Amino acid sequence: MKKALNNFESKEPLLVFNWKDSESEAEGWTIINSLRGDAAGGGTQMRKGLNMKEVLYSAKMMEMKFSVSGPSIGGAKSGINFDPNDPRKKEVLKRWYKVISPLLKSYYGTYGDFNVDDINEVVPITEECGIWHPQEGISNGHFKHTEADKINRIGQLRHGVLKIIENSKFSPDVSRKYTISEMINGYGIAEAIRHYYTLYGGELKGKKVVIQGFGSVGAATSFYLTSLGAKIIGVIDSEGGLINEEGFSIEEIRLLFLTKDANKFVSKHKIPFEVINEKIWMIGAEIFAPCSTSEKITQNQVELLVLNGLEIISCGVNMPFADSAVFYGPIMEHVDNKVSVLPYFISNCGMARLFAYFMQKEVKMDDETIFNDISQTIKDAIMKVYSLNTSKTNISARAFEIALKKLDKIKS
């Protein structure tokens, strides 16, 4: 498996498009790892200091993710090295999407990602560039829809991805009008944990959880896990966090969710980062959900988690470990041999599956059906791993093996 994974990791991507903005210091990349099925998909992110290597490996991880979520297409990613808090952000995005619009029209589908918003940025800006929907390239390249079919599927995408959640089971507050796309990745990470305990044994209710990162993904993960009866005992982000070893109540987690400042974790009781970072790894987490930025988790932090009762990691971020290798480096291999690790391309495939769902013909548009589809997709992926490996260790190794075999069978 590791040899095949190294070959996949080291293989040159099909296309690297590099852009340097003429009116700012912004630099961007669209990287298409392959055009399996005549198309590729992956979101657009923005971060100061972002580099081409990060975009490349995110594109490769998207290819893994499509092996779970569908459709059978190649992985891609767009990334812009620019400060998302800069007032020039929107103008940078407008110039960026104008430049890559031929790709978006032909064979590349994108959406919002880290620091880039679907509703307020990606959809309206790409529309200004003559793109029907940010996923239009997948419709044209992979599905090759007729004009009538394309109108139907694009209509489903437009309505479905930005659909306001009406069912209180899936929303922390229906009056706040959260969209499915805002909540779906966190839901998937929580459902991956639920399905894990159902298949491998154990009771999710009462399990102690630590969440790393409390942006849209981490906050949603916390909400859904608490709704399932788990106990969030700690939250940590780059500026600090909170600890309650008895577990925060559902109302406390809901309040933390509702008082976020965009993706910023807000609490007047926040413990400084230097203090919480010394303590949180030893407070007895049985479940750990890394939902922050990549390459954060160190060997020492992993050891402390394992020594203090860790059972499972459900990865909410690509490349969570501070590893030398991207997909399955020494730290990930070490922890995969010790506890259960659900890889990112399974636990965080919610958004990718959401797009695949709405590209089907005449699907149901109610909350229950949509969320259940994502849950079932993740369950199916974990069941495939379980069929090869009933042990609670080496889950990620088997998951990579399954994904690589599937990708190898799909014509490039």
Side-chain angles (χ1 to χ4, degrees), residues 210 212 236 243 273 276-285 288 296-298 300-308:
V210 163
Q212 183 185 45
I236 182 171
I243 289 175
F273 177 80
I276 197 168
N277 193 45
E278 288 292 318
K279 186 177 181 181
I280 199 166
W281 313 108
M282 299 179 284
I283 61 174
F288 176 51
K296 284 274 191 182
I297 309 165
T298 66
N300 182 58
Q301 289 164 348
V302 163
E303 294 287 0
L304 291 172
L305 285 167
V306 172
L307 285 171
N308 287 277

Side-chain angles (χ1 to χ4, degrees), residues 152-221:
N152 173 260
R153 312 296 171 95
I154 294 295
Q156 287 183 163
L157 281 164
R158 282 176 176 271
H159 174 64
V161 175
L162 302 181
K163 180 184 180 300
I164 302 298
I165 299 172
E166 301 167 281
N167 189 327
S168 59
K169 176 181 175 181
F170 303 110
S171 174
D173 185 349
V174 290
S175 70
R176 295 284 192 99
K177 298 185 177 180
Y178 291 104
T179 65
I180 289 176
S181 63
E182 288 177 285
M183 301 297 294
I184 204 67
N185 280 336
Y187 174 77
I189 294 161
E191 284 295 283
I193 295 167
R194 181 173 74 86
H195 292 311
Y196 161 82
Y197 279 111
T198 300
L199 287 167
Y200 286 86
E203 178 64 48
L204 174 56
K205 187 175 181 180
K207 293 291 184 186
K208 297 178 180 179
V209 184
V210 163
I211 303 287
Q212 183 185 45
F214 206 76
S216 59
V217 176
T221 302

Side-chain angles (χ1 to χ4, degrees), residues 299 321-326 328-337:
Q299 179 78 36
F321 303 100
D323 253 328
S324 54
V326 174
Y328 198 73
I331 299 174
M332 187 170 189
E333 183 174 8
H334 174 77
V335 72
D336 196 33
N337 284 324

